[in-house]
Amino acid sequence: MEPREDFEAFARARWVPLLRTATLLTGDAHAAEDLVQETLARAAQRWSVVSSAGSPEAYVRRILYTRSVDAWRWRRHQPDPVEVTERLGSRSRDHEVDADARLTLADALARLTPKQRAVLVLRFYEDRTEVEAAEALGCSVNTVKSQTRHALARLRALAPELAPTFGRTEVRR
Amino acid sequence: MTSSPLGSALDGLVKDVRPSAGPPVEALWAQGARRRARTRLGGGAAALLALALVAFVSWPSLSQPAPPTTPQPAQTVAPDTYPSVLAHPYFAADALTAHRAMTVAVLDGSTVYTIDSKGTAWKLPGSWNQRSYAALSPNGRWLVDGRRVYDLVKGTSASVVQPGAPDDTQLWAAWAPDSAHYARAYEPSSDVVVSTPDGTQLTIPGASALEQVTRGSMVMGGWLDDRTLMVAYGSQSEAAMEIQTWSIGDDSWRARGQLTYPETLNLTSTVAAVSPDGRTVAMSASDTSRIDDSALVTWDLAGLLSSGQPTPARIVLLHSRYSVDGITWRGGTPLVTVSGHTGPVAGPPLVGSTAGFAGQMSWRQDAFAGSPYWNSAAVWRARLVVWTTIPLALFGVWLLWRAGLWVARRLGIIDGPLPLRFDLAWWRR
């Protein structure tokens, strides 16, 4: 398959999963779409290297997480937590999870640092090990551990009513 | 995807995320292609710029005038310019390929640089610790450094005659105003050797007779005219020097009287100069009654030679903790070199230098007859070397790092794409 066709097939197949992850990382649908587009453009820039690695997904996700944490523009455009709450929380009011809990969680997530958010998404949304999370973020395993601990502690402080969700069992994972 | 309560909660937040449209794959690919082209273009431009920079600062012929193809006759006409700034030539060409009379010689550590009237610098071949001085002849053609005498116009050099005592060390060298002879002095033998640039050594009466009347510690020397050499010996009285002169062809030295100075002065024997008209002698000194204060001391030689009476010193404090690295003359006014800057003891310097370029300086006699000349190419070369050394070194390390990774991946030593950035976590994995 030609590199271009290969890239286009990959982008179409992974667009939605990447967008969901980016939404958790940015807390904003528009910013998430910008982040995914930036990520895919960077992947396209080096597609011959990315595709030859055998696992383009892993490489693209590393770009996604690195950009979400490092890039000043994502940080500069950090959405207002209230706005995030409205966007993330209102999208699925009819979902089985309680709408109030969803609003609270979205609000608490928005108040974390980008790196804390990225660690939580990697560890609990994508179910990655600490080693895999460290590799994706380009940091040490100890950093992942400490960031996870701090993020969960902050979530417990911000949303004590969701304490069972952020319980101590999460830390030991 | 997840099994923990938090994972489920996060999944619930984005489970219903649906993009309004599909990915703009064609635009993304085009954007990636543009970035790829820009990166390659930028990388190529950066590499070319780095190469050009390295070539500019390290390839002397890019900023130096081409040497004449045939040896030039001795330059007896005074240069119409002198360099207003002496720029450190980090990658200078061989001075013997310049084939021109020079304006100044700089002894920087054990390396000698010669600089012409327009500020272009060359480096003398060889570098050894025994270089105590680098004395440029008054006409700028010859240079003697204690081991060899160099003809800068013809581009040749020859060994100089060494005195008999093997443990002698070199003190100073002084050229006659017409550049036809030069004298070299050694200690502790107090030997004085007078030679011509072509290597002929003149017969000169020994210093032993002088030592009978003096303490035997030679201080300084210079030429009063084209044929008369003067040396100053430390006197038995602490704060005076005995002056002796010898003219070419004479069979003995003549005692001419004393130069006196305050006991608080500590004279620097290797930094001294007689004015071209032979009427004044100047020496560097430090005033021991003050902390770290250099001084320029001058004596009226003409008065001493005519009257034979002890001549007192005139002292000008330089208010500098740096010592004087050279003395030259502009008319009857002494110019001193301190920390790479040369000028009158009062007022702004005539010649500056780029950072870190300092040392003993020896100027041709008529160096300051012309107007100042600013050699911007030489100055910028020196500045660029200082400014770009660290960035270029880092760039080189980065290039090696990337090249090493590329090779390692090609050889299968490491798997996967190159890391997005250099970090210890990737390195340790």
Side-chain angles (χ1 to χ4, degrees), chain B residues 42-61:
Chain B
L48 279 178
L49 186 65
L51 274 177
L53 206 57
V54 169
F56 177 69
V57 299
S58 63
W59 198 351
S61 62

Side-chain angles (χ1 to χ4, degrees), chain B residues 306-317:
Chain B
S306 61
S307 69
Q309 298 299 312
T311 303
R314 289 194 298 264
I315 303 164
V316 180
L317 294 176

Side-chain angles (χ1 to χ4, degrees), chain B residues 223-313:
Chain B
W223 294 77
L224 302 181
D225 54 46
D226 293 343
R227 299 183 62 81
T228 306
L229 177 65
M230 177 210 81
V231 293
Y233 287 81
S235 173
Q236 289 175 346
S237 59
E238 286 297 326
M241 293 183 293
E242 299 283 349
I243 300 302
Q244 310 279 339
T245 61
W246 170 78
S247 293
I248 294 174
D250 287 358
D251 54 5
S252 64
W253 292 83
R254 289 179 62 195
R256 306 300 293 267
Q258 281 189 337
L259 299 179
T260 61
Y261 55 90
E263 290 184 355
T264 55
L265 280 187
N266 184 17
L267 299 176
T268 310
S269 62
T270 54
V271 184
V274 176
S275 62
D277 59 8
R279 301 182 63 84
T280 310
V281 61
M283 285 185 76
S284 164
S286 57
D287 188 345
T288 56
S289 65
R290 297 163 180 264
I291 298 174
D292 293 336
D293 206 346
S294 296
L296 181 73
V297 189
T298 57
W299 288 272
D300 177 17
L301 267 183
L304 172 72
L305 297 177
S306 61
S307 69
Q309 298 299 312
T311 303

Side-chain angles (χ1 to χ4, degrees), chain B residues 4 31 34 75 102 126 129 140 163 192-193 212 373 395:
Chain B
S4 67
Q31 192 178 350
R34 281 196 302 275
Q75 186 176 335
M102 297 295 178
N129 294 330
V192 176
V193 180
Q212 292 173 7
Y373 180 85
F395 182 63

Side-chain angles (χ1 to χ4, degrees), chain A residues 149-170:
Chain A
R149 192 167 58 250
H150 293 147
L152 289 174
R154 184 145 171 78
L155 284 181
R156 277 195 292 274
L158 290 168
E161 63 272 36
L162 299 180
T165 307
F166 317 133
R168 295 204 174 274
T169 53
E170 303 287 6

